[in-house]
Every structure is written in structure tokens, then in C-alpha cells.
Amino acid sequence: PTFKRFLTRVAEVVGRENIQVVTSKDELEDGSYHNQPYTHDPHHILDQDHFVASAVVCPRSVPEVQDLVKLANEFNIPIWPVSIGRNSGYGGAAPRLRGSIVVDLGKHIRRILEVNVEGAYAVVEPGVTFADLHQYLVEHNLKDKLWIDVRFPNSA
């Protein structure tokens, strides 16, 4: 009942379409490097559902993340934030506490907020990839002023 009330409140914050509830081990798919699961460890040594999440929530903004954290504290629900990174060396992005709520910060929160040429830095949201930042540099004619350390195909 507590988890159900929590999810009802979460849906008011992010919308039902941004919540994936895990109801059965049969739903778990290990995916691939480019399509990794956030619900469980794709490189499981233990049972596939040993570290399974209760749900994956995809907030669309910083205020929604703040509201989610407040709700998790109110209902005493553990959260496990992830973004666009792979974390393959650590077993994937899945939580290490069974029943956690995975907060996928990388699905919708993907803006490049600032690129500072003088200081040689960029301020980005969690869903921004190297390819996104590279494309930004190309589109804003900054490739000759700033560069990132990963080479991309077709980025001459």
C-alpha cells in the first residue's frame, strides 16, 4: 500500500508515461550495450532479479527531480540515480539495493546549458552525450577553439 501511494504521487509529478513498474521477473531483459536495462544488472552473476528495481522513473526537469527526492524521503523509498553513462565496469546502471527506484536522469534532461571557450568547460545536463556536445561545438563553430577527447565517426 505504501509503494502504491508513492507511485500515485510520483505520477502526479512526472506523468504515468514516465514510470516503468517492475511487476515480474519475466519482464526483465538484459538488453545490450546500446540498450542497457536500468531495472536490473545485465551482467548478473547472481540471479537476474537479485538487484532488481521496483520501478524506473524518468523526470523531465530539475524541479521534478527535486520533487521525487522529497517524495522518496517522505515514503522512505531508496532511489538510485542514473544518467546516460554505461557503468559497465561496475555491473551496469542497475541499483545495488533491491527494491530501489531508479531515477533515469538521462532520458529527458539533456540540455547543454553553457559552453565557455575562455575557461574551456561546458555545463551540461545528465543526458548529454559526447556526441551531443561534439555536435554542439560543430554547429556553433567552436571545433577549432574547443575539443573533446573522443573521436566520432563522420566528425571530420
Side-chain angles (χ1 to χ4, degrees):
T2 300
F3 184 66
K4 213 171 183 180
R5 285 195 321 274
F6 171 74
L7 284 181
T8 299
R9 299 271 303 278
V10 169
E12 293 169 3
V13 173
V14 302
R16 291 199 184 283
E17 69 279 5
N18 290 306
I19 301 171
Q20 172 194 355
V21 178
V22 178
T23 58
S24 162
K25 180 180 179 177
D26 298 332
E27 299 172 21
L28 303 179
E29 294 181 21
D30 288 339
S32 68
Y33 178 79
H34 293 290
N35 185 26
Q36 66 174 334
Y38 291 142
T39 54
H40 66 288
D41 185 345
H43 312 292
H44 49 90
I45 295 170
L46 303 170
D47 289 338
Q48 186 185 36
D49 64 343
H50 185 78
F51 290 121
V52 72
S54 293
V56 178
V57 178
C58 303
R60 299 163 293 191
S61 66
V62 172
E64 285 186 5
V65 173
Q66 293 168 331
D67 289 344
L68 283 174
V69 171
K70 288 175 189 172
L71 285 172
N73 282 328
E74 179 182 331
F75 284 88
N76 200 28
I77 303 278
I79 57 175
W80 186 266
V82 299
S83 66
I84 204 73
R86 297 292 179 246
N87 293 335
S88 289
Y90 299 104
R96 293 293 166 234
L97 178 61
R98 183 184 185 95
S100 295
I101 300 299
V102 173
V103 180
D104 180 356
L105 300 170
K107 184 171 183 178
H108 299 296
I109 306 174
R110 355 177 15 128
R111 294 179 302 153
I112 296 172
L113 302 173
E114 176 187 359
V115 174
N116 185 297
V117 174
E118 175 113 359
Y121 68 86
V123 179
V124 301
E125 291 182 334
V128 174
T129 65
F130 276 109
D132 296 334
L133 185 55
H134 173 77
Q135 189 60 39
Y136 180 95
L137 296 177
V138 169
E139 289 172 2
H140 292 86
N141 297 315
L142 297 173
K143 241 177 58 163
D144 296 334
K145 294 180 173 79
L146 297 169
W147 58 277
I148 52 180
D149 63 352
V150 178
R151 173 92 170 121
F152 298 100
N154 304 321
S155 64

